[in-house]
Amino acid sequence: MGNGIDYSAVQRYFELAGAGSSSAASYMAHDQNLPAAAIRYRFAVELKTIGDWLDAVPADGAVLDVGCGAGAWTALFAQRFGRVIGIEGSESMVTAAKDRTQDLENVEILQGDVRQDLPDGPFALVFLGGLCMYLNDDDVVTLLTSLKERCRPDAAIVLRESTVPERSRQAEGEYQAVYRTVAEYQQLFRRVGFSDVQLRRNLGYTSMEIAIELVEMRRRWLPFLPASSQWLGALTWWPLRLTAPLSFRRLPRALDRLNVPWPGLQNHFFRLSV
Ligand SMILES: C[S@@+](CC[C@H](N)C(=O)[O-])C[C@H]1O[C@@H](n2cnc3c(N)ncnc32)[C@H](O)[C@@H]1O
């Protein structure tokens, strides 16, 4: 699994998505019309999930944000660390990331393909937020090897990737991505030579995925309602958000315990010690 990504389709997809609502597309919330509050909530939960990993990075260190999208994490890193470089393939996303970080003097946004255009280090932190899911297995290994070479000896590489509980699968067509299991990611990390790997479930992502699945159900079961509607997107999000302890925390954990694979997509953070 993970050897059939059409890279030009990935490039095309993010070019178009980034030209619309770039920050929503960067966080994959655009297709279901979820409100901006859903993105902010997911981001806040994610930040909390890896807060201690970021606290451990020296404040004067340099950070590389690989596939930085519209630059949400790039801007956050710039407020905490000495220097940040974001690299991104899609021109529309690059424009959005430059706009977002224009007042931050310690940020540089580069347009390039991460498979060949990586800047030199050394970096104290390398972040890949939803990037390896758009790369074939061998390219993940080559990329992580190149990133490792650009790291300080005390650095960490942090990845945030969509995962599946059981069998890996691939999305084909206009939107191409490979959804690997956690075990498959760990196997790729071993191929690069990483032995110290920490893992955390990303419940911030799950919150958004629950809302996405409900929007898709509404589209299937109530086809007479408008498929695309900001109003219906908000109406799906807010009841879930207002019952977050139940809907976003207890429910996914209970379903996990019962081995019910819903929502079908999960997401994990990985921390690789260099
Ligand atoms: C799901 S978005 C995540 C963006 C950002 N990391 C975030 O967390 O908001 C993935 C991004 O990776 C970029 N990307 C995918 N493959 C790439 C490649 N080979 N080189 C550069 N950027 C790439 C896409 O254009 C897209 O902006």
Side-chain angles (χ1 to χ4, degrees):
M1 182 45 67
N3 290 305
I5 294 276
D6 173 352
Y7 290 124
S8 54
V10 173
Q11 165 87 17
R12 226 174 8 254
Y13 178 86
F14 282 105
E15 203 57 78
L16 276 177
S21 168
S22 54
S23 45
S26 202
Y27 252 36
M28 304 306 292
H30 57 304
D31 274 344
Q32 286 76 21
N33 315 115
L34 297 180
I39 303 167
R40 283 197 297 274
Y41 178 80
R42 173 181 159 188
F43 191 70
V45 175
E46 291 187 337
L47 209 48
K48 211 167 155 192
T49 306
I50 59 163
D52 57 331
W53 291 356
L54 300 183
D55 289 345
V57 178
D60 63 350
V63 178
L64 179 62
D65 189 354
V66 187
C68 67
W73 286 85
T74 323
L76 173 104
F77 294 141
Q79 285 154 14
R80 297 187 51 158
F81 303 111
R83 195 168 75 91
V84 186
I85 301 180
I87 175 164
E88 167 56 45
S90 139
E91 195 178 338
S92 54
M93 287 289 188
V94 165
T95 304
K98 282 187 175 168
D99 282 353
R100 189 192 288 251
T101 57
Q102 61 184 336
D103 296 330
L104 299 164
E105 284 176 3
N106 56 344
V107 175
E108 193 182 351
I109 305 289
L110 307 174
Q111 183 172 2
D113 187 324
V114 303
R115 291 171 298 154
Q116 63 224 15
D117 301 320
L118 290 178
D120 292 334
F123 297 101
L125 171 70
V126 172
F127 183 76
L128 302 93
L131 189 270
C132 293
M133 58 189 288
Y134 304 111
L135 296 178
N136 294 325
D137 288 359
D138 288 346
D139 288 325
V140 172
V141 171
T142 308
L143 173 65
L144 289 176
T145 305
S146 309
L147 290 171
K148 196 176 176 193
E149 286 162 6
R150 287 165 169 78
C151 277
R152 297 172 16 163
D154 59 346
I157 298 180
V158 172
L159 300 92
R160 187 201 71 218
E161 291 297 342
S162 292
T163 51
V164 278
E166 285 165 356
R167 238 177 316 220
S168 54
R169 59 189 161 89
Q170 194 161 324
E172 283 162 356
E174 270 176 43
Y175 179 69
Q176 303 243 339
V178 51
Y179 301 110
R180 300 179 174 93
T181 61
V182 166
E184 283 171 321
Y185 270 110
Q186 282 169 330
Q187 211 175 350
L188 293 177
F189 302 151
R190 272 196 298 277
R191 277 177 61 188
V192 187
F194 290 109
S195 52
D196 181 357
V197 177
Q198 292 180 56
L199 169 75
R200 285 185 190 163
R201 173 116 188 241
N202 179 0
L203 283 180
Y205 176 94
T206 300
S207 69
M208 190 176 274
E209 200 53 31
I210 288 173
I212 284 174
E213 293 244 11
L214 291 182
V215 170
E216 294 304 333
M217 282 181 198
R218 185 200 78 221
R219 285 175 176 169
R220 265 196 309 277
W221 295 343
L222 306 172
F224 49 87
L225 291 175
S228 265
S229 153
Q230 302 296 332
W231 191 80
L232 288 175
L235 199 68
T236 309
W237 172 256
W238 283 108
L240 290 168
R241 171 67 186 90
L242 293 172
T243 55
L246 214 62
S247 55
F248 292 156
R249 290 196 280 279
R250 282 195 187 188
L251 176 70
R253 288 194 172 117
L255 292 176
D256 258 7
R257 272 196 297 277
L258 295 170
N259 272 332
V260 177
W262 193 89
L265 274 186
Q266 297 187 345
N267 195 281
H268 285 84
F269 283 102
F270 301 88
R271 182 188 182 281
L272 318 179
S273 300
V274 168

